[in-house]
Amino acid sequence: MSEESLSSSTLEERLEIANPQHPHCATVLALDISGSMQGDKIRQLNEGIRYFKDDVASDDLARKRVDLAVVSFGGRVEVSQDFASVEDFDPPTLSADGGTPMGEAILKAVELVRRRKQTYKEMGTDYFRPWVFLITDGEPTDMKEGDELWTRAVSAVHQGEANREFLFFAVAVEPADLETLKKIAPPERPPLQLRPGRFKDMFLWLSKSQQRVSASRVGEQVPLEDPTGPEGWAEIDTI
Amino acid sequence: MSSSVATSLEAPYLIAASVPGPLHIERGIGCQDRVACRLSDGEIVIAIADGLGSAPLSEIGAEVAVAGAVGLPTANGNSADIARGMAFAARSALENEAESLGVEISDLACTLIVAVALQDRLHVAHIGDGAVVAETANGILFASPPGESEYANEVEHLACDSWEKNLRFADGTSGVRAFALFSDGCQRAALSRNGDGYMPHPAFFRPLFDWARGASDLVSSSDELRKVLAGAKLSEHSEDDKTLALAILRDTAEFGGDGSF
């Protein structure tokens, strides 16, 4: 302890801190692990998740503030990892198989976010606007445009964004149906198309973005690094 | 603020300090909080502003906002009108500075709290977070709580289009013996939170008010307060800049000696 802080320790020691908690940022990764992801893509996805965890955990603030959950969808929807602090997050090793129940996965991710915010409120924890980060290489096989599940899932995304409940990002991995994904993603945030082989760069961007949010403070929009620059990991379809 | 040295302090008086947060120090960003105050004819006038990290000139915005607020002449005005006038003066100062620098007013964005205290009445004008907490005969309670915001990094500020709509006034908290004004960097230390919202934490404020009442020198007291704000206890869960001002309006002796309620 420095001499300076020793001289003030009497008053400092007498103060009781009201809410000794960090504010938290809840992030859900909604990951397509359907059969088409087999091989190199699922390997890169698994490596990317581990890399993301390690990079976020290397930042002092983000390590204490980011809470992570994983919803996987391949054949069925599964909460592969319920919310945990990034320090306690155990990256699942995902296997690819089955169809693409994206509609149910979106609803599950939104439900997880809502429950997490309720937990924060009950604990008196400050929190940032949560993120849902959807990665898919296909098109939904559990819903078609206009059917009941489609209406519920798309409405959950669009209204959730409009009501500022969360931030929803969609990433299309080749050969994803970008046209369908554009209808699912929020109008104000169209889907990004992952450039081939750039999983790790995408997860690095996500990690840096989470670190920026963790350090952001009141009143701010958090400026994110543009992922679509010449060296970026993504493209945005302008058509 | 008075810089005179005295063997004891006669109320009303004010002790204030402002420090950069650990994250700001780490990144070489200066403190973006600012505080200004004036004490004359028994009236305390104080303003604090917290510049937004995302606004490139927010420390300038915070500086001109508090100077504009406290620089407003207050003679012959009633305290409620003065608090309102100070907030509008702060906004005008931002507009003028933006024009003078040739920048958008959003580049100067900051939150603002202004307080005017005369005898035992306190008037506050407030936009954004941070808060004013008063010690009264009814206990330690809010004179003005933080603005409502679901998210830790989203709140109104003086440079936004809806500033006038979001400006809140707390007129005439009475029976005030002392009060504390602070920026959001102190919030997690000072305020507890549950599903119903924020509450002042008495075990944070009582030691502070007791200490402030026992102060004998404004300069050394301000220095001691600065060290506490920069110390490990308050920095552990808050990386942000911290400003805290403590105003003593009535000496303890007038209320029977121990300051209890």
Side-chain angles (χ1 to χ4, degrees), chain B residues 43-70:
Chain B
E43 181 182 72
I44 288 180
V45 160
I46 178 168
I48 67 172
D50 184 354
L52 268 59
S54 58
L57 305 173
S58 65
E59 70 280 4
I60 296 177
E63 183 74 46
V64 303
V66 299
V70 171

Side-chain angles (χ1 to χ4, degrees), chain A residues 12-16 18-23 65 117 124 126-129 164-165 216-220, chain B residues 50 52 54 129 150-155 184 188-189 191 193 198 201 203-204 207 232-233 236-237 239-240:
Chain A
E12 188 178 21
E13 283 175 352
R14 280 188 271 134
L15 299 181
E16 184 177 291
N19 189 9
Q21 298 184 75
H22 283 273
R65 297 183 171 189
K117 288 206 283 186
D126 291 330
Y127 54 92
F128 302 100
R129 202 188 317 187
R164 296 169 64 239
E165 284 185 56
S216 71
R217 51 156 315 273
V218 177
E220 302 191 66
Chain B
D50 184 354
L52 268 59
S54 58
D129 57 359
E150 182 178 6
Y151 301 122
N153 59 342
E154 297 179 12
V155 87
D184 81 307
R188 280 194 285 282
L191 308 178
R193 191 174 192 182
Y198 289 109
H201 191 58
F204 178 79
K233 204 166 197 176
E236 189 180 345
H237 298 96
E239 75 290 358
D240 202 1

Side-chain angles (χ1 to χ4, degrees), chain A residues 31 33 42-50 70 72 78 80-81 89-96:
Chain A
L31 305 176
I33 57 167
I42 197 74
R43 182 187 60 76
Q44 287 193 60
L45 185 66
N46 282 323
E47 275 178 12
I49 296 169
R50 284 191 288 274
V70 176
S72 59
E78 191 180 332
S80 303
Q81 166 86 62
F89 176 73
D90 187 16
T93 300
L94 302 167
S95 314

Side-chain angles (χ1 to χ4, degrees), chain A residues 50-127:
Chain A
R50 284 191 288 274
Y51 179 72
F52 170 69
K53 182 251 162 89
D54 290 343
D55 199 66
V56 172
S58 71
D59 180 87
D60 275 342
L61 274 183
R63 179 171 67 240
K64 295 167 191 164
R65 297 183 171 189
V66 174
D67 294 333
L68 204 52
V70 176
V71 171
S72 59
F73 54 103
R76 62 195 180 102
V77 174
E78 191 180 332
V79 178
S80 303
Q81 166 86 62
D82 204 341
F83 273 110
S85 71
V86 77
E87 287 179 292
D88 296 333
F89 176 73
D90 187 16
T93 300
L94 302 167
S95 314
D97 195 19
T100 312
M102 192 190 301
E104 292 290 352
I106 287 172
L107 293 176
K108 177 57 71 177
V110 170
E111 177 198 325
L112 284 183
V113 159
R114 287 181 178 151
R115 275 204 272 118
R116 191 65 178 177
K117 288 206 283 186
Q118 187 55 35
T119 300
Y120 291 149
K121 284 175 188 157
E122 287 163 7
M123 290 167 54
T125 304
D126 291 330
Y127 54 92

Side-chain angles (χ1 to χ4, degrees), chain B residues 223-243:
Chain B
D223 195 50
E224 187 173 351
L225 186 60
R226 192 174 305 117
K227 288 173 187 170
V228 170
L229 294 182
K233 204 166 197 176
L234 266 76
S235 298
E236 189 180 345
H237 298 96
S238 173
E239 75 290 358
D240 202 1
D241 298 334
K242 299 173 187 65
T243 296

